[in-house]
Amino acid sequence: MFNIVVCIKQVPMVTELPWDEKTGTLKREAAAGMMNPACKHAIEAALQLRELYGASITVMTMGPPSAEEVLREAIAMGANRGVLICDRLLAGSDTYATSFALGRAVKKEIPDHDLILCGAYTSDSETAQVGPQLAEELNIPAAAYAEHIDISGRTMRVRRLVDNFRETLEMDFPALVTVSMERYKPRYVSFAGLSRSFDGADIRELNAQDLGMMSADLDACGSRTRVRRVFIRKTAKENVRITGAAAVAAAEFLDRYQRSISAVIGRAIEAKKQI
Ligand SMILES: Cc1cc2nc3c(=O)[nH]c(=O)nc-3n(C[C@H](O)[C@H](O)[C@H](O)COP(=O)(O)OP(=O)(O)OC[C@H]3O[C@@H](n4cnc5c(N)ncnc54)[C@H](O)[C@@H]3O)c2cc1C
């Protein structure tokens, strides 16, 4: 059986959350949770691949107990089973620790995985690091921002948009792909799916100990980053009216433009003045 794992994350249902200034963490409890939008595209890609080639789909999330809701939603969309990684020891994990725990869970629960799908990024932290880091953890090849996936035997073709051109990569299984938001539009949940997600849904819960992660281990495989300070950047807008002869006004405009861009990028730029 072809085994697909889809990693999904529960995110707050708002665009801006208050910060805890002392700990530098988000006050996630201040808003209800929902499935990260990009993760729905990854589930849709898995469902379409299963329709074409046959597969078993396991959805996996690491989060607080409430994250089970996104597993049920994924099962309602059509996933076969869910895995919830939940432990207070793992709270506050950065992207490295998140990928490490996901990697351990994949190795333990689905050792014969063929394809791991992730969303491209999340709506709350948006680092886009977890997918590639998980591939590194599992020592498998990865491709990011896939628009289309084709499978032929033990090989997969992944089309992705890179800057201004498209490229197609060929990869052997097992492999990891992060799915772009442009394609694989998520399907609606059916009533049958909804009832399947509640009646006897196969959801397994794992804690840090199940993954062989003790509190002492977390020094080695836990978060590598510390939030030292959190602040809201203050920006001020100013309307400037440039008057005078066209050539003089255009030159002044270019001067101002150069100065403000140089301040942002940290080096001087040379704009051509051919007026
Ligand atoms: C320096 C730093 C410090 C942080 N400190 C804290 C903290 O103290 N407390 C805290 O709550 N958060 C903290 N975070 C946020 C936390 O690291 C992220 O929520 C988490 O690691 C996922 O990263 P991301 O949201 O950027 O995911 P991305 O890399 O943008 O996500 C891409 C994809 O990876 C998968 N994925 C991501 N997260 C999960 C998950 N949990 N389960 C399953 N799949 C997943 C999904 O498929 C998702 O679509 C910190 C982040 C950084 C960078």
Side-chain angles (χ1 to χ4, degrees):
M1 172 68 83
F2 190 73
N3 272 318
I4 304 180
V5 181
V6 189
C7 295
I8 61 177
K9 184 184 176 192
Q10 188 182 47
V11 293
M13 209 182 279
V14 286
T15 47
E16 283 201 8
L17 271 181
W19 287 90
D20 183 328
E21 301 219 346
K22 273 197 200 121
T23 60
T25 56
L26 287 174
K27 291 184 179 170
R28 290 171 194 272
E29 64 287 354
M34 64 174 193
M35 193 189 307
N36 174 49
C39 296
K40 289 192 181 181
H41 291 252
I43 296 172
E44 180 60 36
L47 295 170
Q48 290 189 24
L49 290 173
R50 185 177 67 186
E51 282 156 11
L52 288 171
Y53 310 104
S56 168
I57 302 173
T58 303
V59 281
M60 180 176 282
T61 193
M62 178 170 119
S66 65
E68 190 182 315
E69 292 163 14
V70 295
L71 294 178
R72 290 194 188 276
E73 187 179 346
I75 290 171
M77 282 176 77
N80 298 83
R81 59 187 287 255
V83 175
L84 171 66
I85 307 162
C86 187
D87 197 308
R88 289 205 69 79
L89 270 184
L90 300 169
S93 294
D94 66 5
T95 59
Y96 177 82
T98 304
S99 316
F100 184 88
L102 289 172
R104 282 274 173 110
V106 169
K107 284 183 205 159
K108 182 179 164 64
E109 280 297 299
I110 315 107
D112 50 351
H113 53 272
D114 297 291
L115 175 61
I116 301 184
L117 295 176
C118 289
Y121 48 80
T122 58
S123 59
D124 59 346
S125 296
E126 212 181 325
T127 63
Q129 290 172 358
V130 171
Q133 281 177 338
L134 174 57
E136 197 66 26
E137 196 54 51
L138 296 168
N139 199 19
I140 59 176
Y145 304 115
E147 290 183 335
H148 188 75
I149 302 169
D150 258 332
I151 294 177
S152 165
R154 293 296 299 164
T155 307
M156 165 175 64
R157 285 186 156 209
V158 179
R159 194 181 71 224
R160 61 191 289 259
L161 183 64
V162 204
D163 295 330
N164 288 326
F165 62 92
R166 291 196 157 78
E167 68 176 12
T168 301
L169 303 173
E170 217 169 68
M171 305 162 80
D172 289 339
F173 295 117
L176 183 147
V177 173
T178 77
V179 178
S180 120
M181 299 268 279
E182 305 306 314
R183 301 285 291 270
Y184 294 118
K185 290 268 174 298
R187 64 192 63 190
Y188 289 113
V189 166
S190 65
F191 281 119
L194 259 184
S195 87
R196 196 175 49 242
S197 71
F198 285 100
D199 300 337
D202 179 359
I203 295 182
R204 177 153 160 68
E205 190 171 327
L206 300 173
N207 58 27
Q209 199 178 4
D210 296 325
L211 300 178
M213 297 166 74
M214 307 304 199
S215 52
D217 292 338
L218 291 175
D219 288 338
C221 59
S223 301
R224 301 278 167 101
T225 44
R226 296 280 174 274
V227 178
R228 296 174 68 100
R229 188 163 77 98
V230 178
F231 63 96
I232 307 220
R233 196 165 155 247
K234 291 201 175 68
T235 49
K237 278 191 184 168
E238 181 196 5
N239 290 328
V240 177
R241 191 180 178 133
I242 302 174
T243 52
V248 176
E252 189 183 337
F253 167 77
L254 274 178
D255 267 348
R256 284 175 175 272
Y257 174 77
Q258 271 176 299
R259 266 184 273 133
S260 54
I261 294 291
S262 302
V264 173
I265 65 173
R267 66 182 166 82
I269 57 156
E270 199 47 52
K272 280 195 180 143
K273 288 184 196 169
Q274 287 177 333
I275 302 159

